[in-house]
Amino acid sequence: MAGNGDTSWCFSQIKGALDDDVTDADIISCVEFNHDGELLATGDKGGRVVIFQRDPASKSSTPRRGEYNVYSTFQSHEPEFDYLKSLEIEEKINKIRWLKRKNQSHFLLSTNDKTIKLWKVSERDKRVEGYNTREDNGSVRDPSSISALRVPSIKPMDLMVEASPRRIFANAHTYHINSISVNSDQETYLSADDLRLNLWHLEITDQSFNIVDIKPANMEELTEVITAAEFHPTECNVFVYSSSKGTIRLCDMRSSALCDRHAKLFEEPEDVDITNKSFFREIISSISDVKLSNTGRYMISRDYLSIKVWDLHMETKPIETYPVHEYLRTKLCSLYENDCIFDKFECCWNGNDSSIMTGSYNNFFRVFDRNSKKDVTLEASRDIIKPKTVLKPRKVCTGGKRKKDEISVDCLDFNKKILHTAWHPLENIIAVAATNNLFIFQDKF
């Protein structure tokens, strides 16, 4: 799989209504490919999960195309009300995580702020006909009318995809769940809220183990919160979690049951230059997402202005730092006033860890090639929704004379933001959530 430095991206598909009247419930809140990239799931603020399936013809065509069709849509979460705290619990899907496939069915975890559900997605293309005691419509037959025994037969039927909740993991989080991560053993998973991390077994819904608790005895002494957490891709005893203070802690569950003492602490050295210590320094250093690489050797962390690559063998500083939208450094005051400074941008790796991707404003998203050190700014725009349209790199100008193809930093639309992106695990196909639309791009035909 080529890195992004030599990749020209082109438009493949757009999903979702194209009218400008967008309801809040339709806004996409998470995007996730499964382990072989055959399925792509999105969750939205209305509590729905939509699963897309790779079009079989698009895999065998030359060149290969990245095209997906709707496979299943189901309501995962409903709005709830916590009567003890007089709080509404949103139905919004915060995260979706796929389990590795073990049989014909697919399994995924979805979570809102409080409740995690394990869903089974299965296909039915046959039905049983010719029951003795029931009619084909399911009604019970009058026993006196049964004069002969029939052998039920299996008949083909139109394909039905059914999603059914297999487990509901509830009542374990006091604060809002921001992360779930399935362990490499495929038997356990972790869930993280602002102050605690819980470890669950996929078969046990009524108990979980609290493995990290950073809640102070006196809440007035609270200085940081947990922002994201993830298991190591191959070592089932290792996980990482990031904090609002810009640190990432790596914990090893073999050392103790309660991982309050981390094994490693990854933190950028303090900037001694006093001129850089602005009022916003603490807010913009908060890490909104952390992702371990597929090999498990590296991890990326996203803060407000940059994305950093860390080597798990080196805690002192990141090995690579990529500015995402440095031109916003002068706009932090207005971004604070309109609350954009608290936006939680996610980040992702490509399949062979050679490129990383993250979002920005104005429906821009950024792709960085770690080998060539090339980077590109692209736009998920409705102007390019013709198949095979090659995406033109976008440039933002910060002052002085603006070139013809540049956009001024003052003209950026901060209501259009790319928070959620996903990269196909094996190919150069990317999914980008822009408000209520899902854009799918692929490398040039």
Side-chain angles (χ1 to χ4, degrees):
M1 185 163 82
N4 139 68
D6 311 309
T7 304
S8 288
W9 293 96
C10 66
F11 172 79
S12 180
Q13 280 180 304
I14 184 169
K15 303 290 185 186
L18 290 174
D19 51 339
D20 291 320
D21 190 20
V22 179
T23 62
D24 207 39
D26 291 333
I27 295 173
I28 297 171
S29 54
C30 56
V31 185
E32 191 79 10
F33 280 102
N34 75 338
H35 293 278
D36 57 8
E38 286 298 297
L39 298 178
L40 170 63
T42 64
D44 64 24
K45 287 193 172 179
R48 291 180 299 262
V49 171
V50 181
I51 301 174
F52 301 94
Q53 185 181 44
R54 179 88 178 262
D55 186 302
S58 76
K59 285 187 294 188
S60 53
S61 65
T62 318
R64 286 163 74 105
R65 300 192 314 277
E67 289 177 7
Y68 285 77
N69 305 319
V70 174
Y71 179 62
S72 175
T73 304
F74 58 92
Q75 188 73 30
S76 173
H77 286 69
E78 303 278 357
E80 295 170 56
F81 192 78
D82 185 333
Y83 291 97
L84 289 173
K85 296 190 178 139
S86 291
L87 277 179
E88 280 186 48
I89 300 165
E90 281 187 307
E91 64 271 45
K92 173 189 163 208
I93 310 291
N94 292 342
K95 283 283 183 293
I96 289 172
R97 289 290 178 264
W98 291 92
L99 275 67
K100 284 199 172 131
R101 197 170 180 187
K102 291 180 180 160
N103 54 31
Q104 288 298 97
S105 302
H106 297 274
F107 288 86
L108 61 89
L109 287 167
S110 64
T111 184
N112 67 351
D113 284 341
K114 295 287 181 192
T115 306
I116 304 156
K117 296 185 181 181
L118 173 67
W119 290 89
K120 176 185 180 182
V121 182
S122 52
E123 296 182 354
R124 263 190 29 212
D125 60 357
K126 293 182 177 66
R127 64 173 179 207
V128 177
E129 277 184 4
Y131 287 107
N132 287 293
T133 56
R134 289 179 182 273
E135 301 290 355
D136 286 338
N137 65 7
S139 60
V140 178
R141 292 175 71 187
D142 176 12
S144 61
S145 69
I146 300 172
S147 57
L149 282 175
R150 298 191 282 182
V151 177
S153 57
I154 294 173
K155 297 279 176 65
M157 60 178 253
D158 290 341
L159 179 68
M160 266 179 67
V161 180
E162 296 176 322
S164 52
R166 300 311 298 252
R167 307 268 186 282
I168 296 177
F169 307 89
N171 306 323
H173 284 278
T174 312
Y175 308 98
H176 290 174
I177 299 170
N178 56 47
S179 304
I180 48 176
S181 177
V182 182
N183 199 345
S184 58
D185 64 12
Q186 294 291 305
E187 288 183 6
T188 54
Y189 73 92
L190 64 76
S191 58
D193 66 22
D194 296 338
L195 297 178
R196 296 189 180 104
L197 253 96
N198 290 340
L199 179 68
W200 300 82
H201 194 285
L202 282 160
E203 299 290 330
I204 302 167
T205 58
D206 58 355
Q207 68 180 58
S208 62
F209 294 100
N210 178 227
I211 49 174
V212 170
D213 188 347
I214 64 165
K215 184 181 178 187
N218 179 2
M219 280 295 269
E220 287 175 8
E221 293 164 11
L222 182 69
T223 58
E224 66 178 327
V225 293
I226 297 167
T227 55
E230 190 179 53
F231 264 122
H232 191 280
T234 54
E235 294 172 31
C236 62
N237 47 282
V238 173
F239 65 90
V240 296
Y241 68 93
S242 58
S243 91
S244 56
K245 273 194 164 172
T247 61
I248 304 164
R249 291 173 174 85
L250 181 141
C251 300
D252 190 331
M253 292 190 290
R254 292 173 302 186
S255 58
S256 67
L258 190 63
C259 299
D260 282 354
R261 283 206 301 276
H262 48 267
K264 292 187 177 184
L265 176 72
F266 299 87
E267 187 171 22
E268 185 128 52
E270 275 267 340
D271 196 339
V272 288
D273 182 4
I274 199 76
T275 56
N276 277 340
K277 291 200 172 175
S278 73
F279 165 69
F280 303 109
R281 186 176 63 87
E282 213 167 282
I283 303 173
I284 62 173
S285 65
S286 173
I287 294 173
S288 55
D289 195 20
V290 61
K291 291 270 171 48
L292 285 147
S293 65
N294 297 288
T295 61
R297 172 70 191 268
Y298 304 101
M299 64 182 170
I300 44 175
S301 65
R302 173 71 209 262
D303 57 43
Y304 191 66
L305 292 177
S306 67
I307 189 166
K308 299 183 173 85
V309 181
W310 303 81
D311 186 330
L312 290 196
H313 297 183
M314 187 171 91
E315 300 165 64
T316 48
K317 61 177 195 283
I319 54 168
E320 297 156 32
T321 300
Y322 300 98
V324 174
H325 37 217
E326 191 60 29
Y327 45 79
L328 294 183
R329 200 174 279 278
T330 56
K331 297 260 180 276
L332 293 177
C333 268
S334 52
L335 289 163
Y336 179 74
E337 282 163 11
N338 65 14
D339 276 353
C340 282
I341 202 165
F342 302 107
D343 284 335
K344 292 182 168 37
F345 291 97
E346 294 172 9
C347 52
C348 65
W349 294 91
N350 71 341
N352 62 9
D353 302 338
S354 62
S355 295
I356 50 181
M357 172 170 58
T358 191
S360 180
Y361 294 103
N362 208 64
N363 276 1
F364 288 171
F365 61 98
R366 306 270 281 130
V367 186
F368 303 92
D369 186 303
R370 298 182 56 216
N371 298 328
S372 66
K373 297 294 184 260
K374 290 181 184 172
D375 64 86
V376 64
T377 302
L378 302 168
E379 184 181 5
S381 153
R382 292 180 188 173
D383 303 340
I384 48 113
I385 54 174
K386 291 187 198 77
K388 305 188 185 182
T389 305
V390 177
L391 301 191
K392 290 194 180 84
R394 302 301 309 263
K395 288 202 167 47
V396 177
C397 100
T398 49
K401 287 191 79 174
R402 183 169 67 87
K403 294 191 184 130
K404 185 166 76 84
D405 57 346
E406 289 183 335
I407 180 168
S408 163
V409 67
D410 298 315
C411 298
L412 296 175
D413 186 342
F414 292 107
N415 292 318
K416 292 181 176 173
K417 51 190 92 167
I418 304 287
L419 301 176
H420 317 286
T421 59
W423 201 310
H424 189 289
L426 306 170
E427 296 179 47
N428 273 337
I429 299 169
I430 54 178
V432 172
T435 319
N436 65 318
N437 293 128
L438 182 72
F439 286 83
I440 297 174
F441 304 108
Q442 67 173 82
D443 52 3
K444 193 172 169 215
F445 290 84

